[in-house]
Amino acid sequence: MKKYIPCIMAASAIAASAGVNTGRLNISRLSVLRSDNSLTVNMSVNTEDWKVKSDSKVILTPAVIAGTDTVRLDPITIAGKRAWFYEIRNGNTSTILEKAGKPAASTYSRTIDFEPWMETSSLQILVDTVSECNCSDRFASEGSEAIGIASLDYNRKMTAPKFNYVIPGDTLEKNFSLSGRANIRFMVNKTDIDWSYAGNYAELDSILLSLNRVKDNPDATVKDIFLCGYASPEGPYANNVRLAKGRTEIVKEYVRKHSSFPASLYRTSFVAEDWDGLKKWLETNRIPGADEMIAFINDPNVTPETRNDVFREKFPKAYPGLLKEVYPLLRHTDYRISYNIRKYYDVNEIREVMETNPRNLSQNELYILANSYPQGSREYFEVFSLAARLFPDDATANLNAGLASISVGDFAGAASYLDRAGENPQADYARGILAAMTGDYPAARQWLTKSENAGNKDAAAALLEIGKMEAAAISGGVTIL
């Protein structure tokens, strides 16, 4: 007997519930619906165009398949005239039985338990053609074929590509600095340190501790010690100049005498009246009249010599409180210790320094260390995260840390780093990938398009993948074939 082999027609991917004519299977209104614990297959099979020999039958068995895992649903039997009568006479109740050539479509709906392996699987129709014979069951198989009708991907997500990390620039010298502020109390209208104020010892020691921290580093060389003294904006301007300058010198001499660095390394400067400090305080503490006071401080037409007197006259209610609570904070000494660290060339030495004194490392050295580990590994991620912590305002450090965070699935951390990664095509590309991996396809498309327009060729491929992600989201993870 001649076996029946259906003709298969290619169809484009459409929504999860749609009409499709897969060759002469004549399937329509196909849908695959998933709930938390079940999977339901709905479809209609029109047998009108089926040309099945009178003594033959075709058994259509829907099956969910993934690798070696298979779950078969109840079959549909389409029988020729004699085969159909045989099934009827023998009381066939185990399958859905349809007569070939019948004009009406048969509705099919079956639900099965959903199993984890079905997350990525396919829905197929197993087609078996059998004919009448003298066998015990009167029919013998003439052949079988599996026809895919839908692909199921309920776990489809954007996969992180192999990112192009940015190589930080290398320099001949590794220059670093330590900065801080010491709020030292002085005698009223004098340049003498008020030793009765116990906090002065701790404030001065903060400068010495920073100096000793650099001195105790065997790989460090101090290049410059800068001190800048500030006076509060009260009293005559000329007197404030004297106080700010004199107090800075007093602090310098104290620090110099209690440290081992030569006097030639010290530089000093001063600010007679710390109006910028007062403005920052007002911007943070929105007391009544704060906007007017800030506008006055910003006014370039007010001379330094008269600014304090005019300010006191214009804001008589606020002035006493500021004088008592805020002005003491404006009398301070800021310091910056500039130094350089010798370069490390051996990756094993870099690894050792990272464990003992990571602040000695440059971004370039950290990049070299990161690339001694497999890209995407935990160690790779930890090195780039450290670089971002050591150089929090550097766009390259934050971009690389963001990419490494994406690679290990730390999307919240990646978003934080990429916020500080600057405005450039690489950062926009990374933001697009992150948005896609978190399911925000409109934002992903916006970032990637911006990156592509700026010349990033990788963004074009990612945009194609976004299209697939969006299609999968619309179809509920089901693609009808």
Side-chain angles (χ1 to χ4, degrees):
M1 303 287 290
K2 183 178 180 181
K3 69 178 181 179
Y4 168 75
I5 301 178
C7 172
I8 303 174
M9 180 186 302
S12 59
I14 54 179
S17 178
V20 59
N21 185 336
T22 307
R24 289 186 55 196
L25 288 178
N26 282 340
I27 294 173
S28 62
R29 297 170 61 191
L30 173 62
S31 68
V32 184
L33 307 174
R34 179 196 166 180
S35 66
D36 290 340
N37 302 310
S38 65
L39 192 74
T40 300
V41 176
N42 298 314
M43 59 183 170
S44 293
V45 181
N46 192 330
T47 62
E48 184 174 10
D49 295 331
W50 280 82
K51 306 300 180 184
V52 180
K53 297 180 74 68
S54 181
D55 56 357
S56 297
K57 61 182 180 181
V58 178
I59 302 172
L60 307 178
T61 306
V64 180
I65 300 174
T68 58
D69 294 307
T70 301
V71 171
R72 294 172 180 252
L73 285 71
D74 293 337
I76 304 168
T77 299
I78 302 173
K81 184 176 181 181
R82 286 181 59 194
W84 183 80
F85 277 114
Y86 173 79
E87 297 288 340
I88 293 297
R89 285 197 305 269
N90 286 274
N92 183 346
T93 59
S94 62
T95 65
I96 299 174
L97 178 64
E98 300 292 346
K99 188 176 182 181
K102 186 186 73 170
S106 173
T107 300
Y108 181 92
S109 180
R110 291 293 186 273
T111 299
I112 58 174
D113 291 336
F114 185 85
E115 299 183 33
W117 60 264
M118 295 178 183
E119 287 280 354
T120 304
S121 58
S122 65
L123 177 62
Q124 302 182 25
I125 298 292
L126 308 180
V127 183
D128 291 286
T129 303
V130 296
S131 60
E132 190 176 10
C133 68
N134 293 321
C135 308
S136 59
D137 61 357
R138 290 182 55 82
F139 288 93
S141 175
E142 287 193 2
S144 62
E145 185 172 353
I147 302 174
I149 60 173
S151 64
L152 313 180
D153 189 352
Y154 298 109
N155 197 32
R156 186 166 192 178
K157 296 178 181 177
M158 186 79 173
T159 56
K162 186 174 182 179
F163 291 117
N164 296 317
Y165 289 76
V166 179
I167 302 175
D170 196 9
T171 57
L172 294 176
E173 284 195 346
K174 291 159 52 181
N175 296 312
F176 296 86
S177 66
L178 282 177
S179 301
R181 169 170 293 185
N183 290 100
I184 302 164
R185 295 290 182 90
F186 289 85
M187 302 291 288
V188 176
N189 202 31
K190 293 184 179 181
T191 58
D192 298 329
I193 296 176
D194 184 359
W195 293 111
S196 65
Y197 181 68
N200 279 343
Y201 288 100
E203 295 296 326
L204 287 164
D205 281 348
S206 68
I207 305 176
L208 294 172
L209 286 171
S210 295
L211 280 170
N212 289 334
R213 181 175 168 187
V214 179
K215 183 188 71 174
D216 294 339
N217 187 338
D219 295 336
T221 302
V222 174
K223 309 297 287 186
D224 181 74
I225 303 169
F226 176 70
L227 300 168
C228 184
Y230 293 76
S232 57
E234 57 183 296
Y237 179 77
N239 190 52
N240 288 334
V241 170
R242 178 184 67 85
L243 291 173
K245 185 176 181 180
R247 288 169 177 176
T248 304
E249 289 298 318
I250 288 291
V251 172
K252 184 196 79 171
E253 287 304 309
Y254 177 90
V255 173
R256 187 185 64 80
K257 289 179 180 179
H258 290 80
S259 66
S260 59
F261 295 102
S264 59
L265 291 180
Y266 289 86
R267 292 188 305 111
T268 61
S269 183
F270 65 91
V271 175
E273 297 179 344
D274 190 10
W275 289 103
D276 284 341
L278 177 58
K279 183 173 73 171
K280 290 178 181 178
W281 189 92
L282 291 168
E283 289 171 343
T284 303
N285 302 273
R286 309 298 294 179
I287 64 173
D291 289 337
E292 291 80 1
M293 285 184 272
I294 292 172
F296 172 81
I297 294 171
N298 289 333
D299 188 351
N301 297 316
V302 181
T303 63
E305 292 76 12
T306 61
R307 187 182 298 274
N308 177 51
D309 291 337
V310 176
F311 182 82
R312 186 174 61 249
E313 293 173 1
K314 285 180 66 69
F315 308 103
K317 292 184 178 179
Y319 189 82
L322 295 174
L323 184 65
K324 180 180 179 181
E325 302 295 336
V326 183
Y327 278 31
L329 302 176
L330 305 181
R331 304 163 198 150
H332 54 90
T333 301
D334 290 356
Y335 62 92
R336 183 182 67 249
I337 306 162
S338 301
Y339 60 98
N340 60 31
I341 299 290
R342 74 173 179 88
K343 294 184 67 172
Y344 308 103
Y345 297 95
D346 180 73
V347 70
N348 292 320
E349 185 179 28
I350 296 173
R351 186 176 291 111
E352 182 180 346
V353 173
M354 177 180 167
E355 296 296 328
T356 58
N357 199 354
R359 292 187 179 276
N360 278 7
L361 297 173
S362 67
Q363 276 200 71
N364 187 268
E365 288 162 340
L366 288 166
Y367 182 87
I368 292 171
L369 177 59
N371 280 277
S372 70
Y373 301 110
Q375 187 174 124
S377 66
R378 194 71 195 177
E379 295 84 357
Y380 194 85
F381 161 74
E382 288 172 351
V383 174
F384 279 123
S385 295
L386 173 63
R389 293 196 299 274
L390 293 176
F391 304 94
D393 299 323
D394 187 86
T396 296
N398 281 285
L399 173 58
N400 287 341
L403 298 178
S405 297
I406 294 174
S407 69
V408 296
D410 180 10
F411 297 151
S416 178
Y417 288 129
L418 294 179
D419 282 344
R420 303 189 297 273
E423 296 296 326
N424 56 78
Q426 294 91 340
D428 291 338
Y429 174 77
R431 293 173 183 124
I433 295 297
L434 176 61
M437 295 187 73
T438 55
D440 189 350
Y441 301 123
R445 188 174 293 282
Q446 180 181 4
W447 285 118
L448 291 169
T449 300
K450 182 180 178 183
S451 180
E452 182 186 29
N453 291 340
N456 189 345
K457 295 180 180 179
D458 292 334
L463 283 167
L464 291 176
E465 187 68 13
I466 294 298
K468 297 177 183 178
M469 298 298 102
E470 290 177 317
I474 293 171
S475 68
V478 179
T479 302
I480 308 298
L481 305 176

